Amino acid sequence: MSLPARTVDVLVVGAGQAGLGTARRLVDAGVPDVLVLEAAEVGASWTGRWAGLRLFTPRRFSTLPGLPFPPGPGESPTRLEMAAYLRRYADVLDVPVVTGTPVTGLTRAGTGFRAATPAGEVTARQVVVATGPHRRPRVPAAAADLAPDVVALHSSAYREPADLPDGPVLVVGGGNSAAQLALELAATRPVTVAAPGVPRALPTHVLGISLYRWLLVTGVLNAGSGTPVGRLVRRRDEAVFGRDLPRAVRAGRVRLVPHRVVGAAGRAVTLADGSVLPVHAVLWCTGFLPDTGWLEIPGALGPGGEPVHRRGASPVPGLHWMGLPWQTRVNSGLVDGVDRDARRTAGRIRRALDGAVGRRDLGGPPPHRLGRQTRWPDPATSTPPSSPCPSPRWPTRP
């Protein structure tokens, strides 16, 4: 499709939960001309994951502003449910969302920006980069030294157990993806997990109540990244939600070696303690890196291509980041944390546009005060925030 050359007030790059939630709050803030560009289809980042993926956040904590997550058979949604929810959100959003249109380059154009796409160029006064941190698979350098006949996949390329040959599998990683996939594979074959240490397993429920509700009411979920609580949580290794993996290890269904993979040669890998493991197939659950090679703006990226920002605000005037882990608080990287960061970003953008052209020229309602919850125009579809602040309260059941 062609994209007519145009100038918009705000261009949002990415139509995942961070991009769509930000677009909604820009509308609430009275920004009249917002455009969202998505490289694939809305929800593709979820449909492209492995078939058995289920979020570890309950439905109540997987909600964007103004549209409750629909009920379903499980407490937490599946990847397909999450994708369908995002498509529904885009459908009811009062903002054009153009799919199948990747931004291949972003440069300065005077005091604004010029975005290049295969369908044409878009000029914007402000830009929100909401492509997320999970775009480029991170694979250890040691992977290149494995023998050609060792099947090795990153978790982003895995869909189901049949993608790996019959026989033992080494799962490398200590996060939630590694735990879920190790358990899935252990149903049909021997599995060894090589993790940086013994994964810290958290219960999904305490006294019959979701752990996320406890984290909300105690203030941990909304703790700022610079607060003592936030710094403490960030210093801890990634937690695995659920105790199924420890149970499987104790029962002998999964073998755990608490050492990082540091090398490989032929059909074996070397661990940090010097031990060597023979391998038949390897599944790398080693995370992702942001894909920012298309962003050609001096000062926007660090030496490793990482976003440079303070609470989502780039040092480049008019450039903003959304959906980054630890952007402002503990839950910034979760669906539940989008709304708080989106309201902050929308308020910052509205103030910048006000200063550039004057509020009267922008039209629409005045910007909302940061930190206050806003609602959609139709009260029938409005819901309280999933993480209200400053005084958290118990959320209602969907």
Side-chain angles (χ1 to χ4, degrees):
M1 63 171 295
S2 63
L3 188 66
R6 57 180 293 193
T7 297
V8 297
D9 287 323
V10 184
L11 171 64
V12 178
V13 184
Q17 53 263 25
L20 295 176
T22 304
R24 176 66 258 172
R25 287 310 183 195
L26 287 167
V27 171
D28 286 347
V31 178
D33 194 7
V34 180
L35 175 66
V36 181
L37 296 182
E38 168 57 43
E41 298 298 318
V42 175
S45 61
W46 291 100
T47 57
R49 304 296 298 277
W50 75 88
L53 173 64
R54 183 178 290 274
L55 278 70
F56 53 84
T57 49
R59 295 171 188 274
R60 183 66 181 85
F61 293 86
S62 303
T63 291
L64 290 172
L67 186 66
F69 204 99
E75 182 181 23
S76 299
T78 66
R79 64 183 181 98
L80 296 181
E81 288 179 299
M82 192 67 210
Y85 173 75
L86 291 179
R87 289 193 294 268
R88 171 61 179 157
Y89 199 89
D91 287 342
V92 302
L93 191 63
D94 294 329
V95 167
V97 179
V98 181
T99 59
T101 309
V103 174
T104 56
L106 185 69
T107 56
R108 271 296 200 181
T111 59
F113 303 88
R114 179 176 293 110
T117 80
E121 289 188 343
V122 176
T123 302
R125 298 181 178 90
Q126 304 269 314
V127 172
V128 179
V129 180
T131 52
H134 306 304
R135 289 289 178 174
R136 187 158 50 98
R138 177 195 284 134
V139 178
D145 298 322
L146 289 171
D149 60 342
V150 173
V151 176
L153 296 178
H154 188 269
S155 60
S156 60
Y158 172 91
R159 297 294 178 272
E160 57 186 14
D163 292 340
L164 295 170
D166 293 336
V169 175
L170 175 65
V171 176
V172 181
N176 283 282
S177 295
Q180 284 194 29
L181 290 175
L183 291 168
E184 178 174 291
L185 290 165
T188 57
R189 65 196 74 199
V191 172
T192 298
V193 176
V198 177
R200 186 165 53 93
L202 298 177
T204 57
H205 294 77
V206 176
L207 300 177
I209 299 171
S210 168
L211 177 64
Y212 272 85
R213 296 179 186 267
W214 288 110
L215 294 176
L216 171 63
V217 77
T218 58
V220 173
L221 203 60
N222 278 312
S225 54
T227 64
V229 171
R231 290 194 297 267
L232 176 63
V233 174
R234 193 168 189 176
R235 283 197 303 267
R236 303 290 298 272
D237 292 334
E238 180 183 2
V240 173
F241 283 83
R243 290 176 170 161
D244 290 341
L245 180 61
R247 293 191 189 103
V249 171
R250 289 194 296 270
R253 292 188 291 111
V254 173
R255 178 190 177 198
L256 172 66
V257 287
H259 303 289
R260 191 183 306 272
V261 172
V262 296
R267 300 181 62 83
V269 298
T270 303
L271 303 181
D273 67 341
S275 61
V276 176
L277 287 179
V279 293
H280 175 68
V282 180
L283 185 59
W284 302 106
C285 299
T286 44
F288 296 82
L289 297 169
D291 182 9
T292 54
W294 51 274
L295 207 154
E296 307 166 44
I297 300 174
L301 302 174
E306 69 278 6
V308 176
H309 70 99
R310 184 177 183 274
R311 303 174 72 82
S314 169
V316 178
L319 183 65
H320 313 266
W321 298 91
M322 270 295 302
L324 299 178
W326 299 99
Q327 181 165 312
T328 66
R329 62 194 70 248
V330 170
N331 66 344
S332 283
L334 304 178
V335 180
D336 173 71
V338 166
D339 193 25
R340 292 294 301 273
D341 289 350
R343 282 184 281 143
R344 178 182 294 274
T345 299
R348 187 169 61 239
I349 289 173
R350 177 66 198 238
R351 289 194 298 272
L353 293 173
D354 284 353
V357 298
R359 181 174 299 164
R360 182 173 299 178
D361 296 326
L362 276 175
H368 298 298
R369 289 175 57 192
L370 290 176
R372 297 187 63 181
Q373 173 67 22
T374 59
R375 294 181 178 270
W376 284 36
D378 181 5
T381 62
S382 63
T383 60
S386 57
S387 298
C389 270
S391 300
R393 60 182 175 81
W394 291 96
T396 57
R397 292 187 177 273

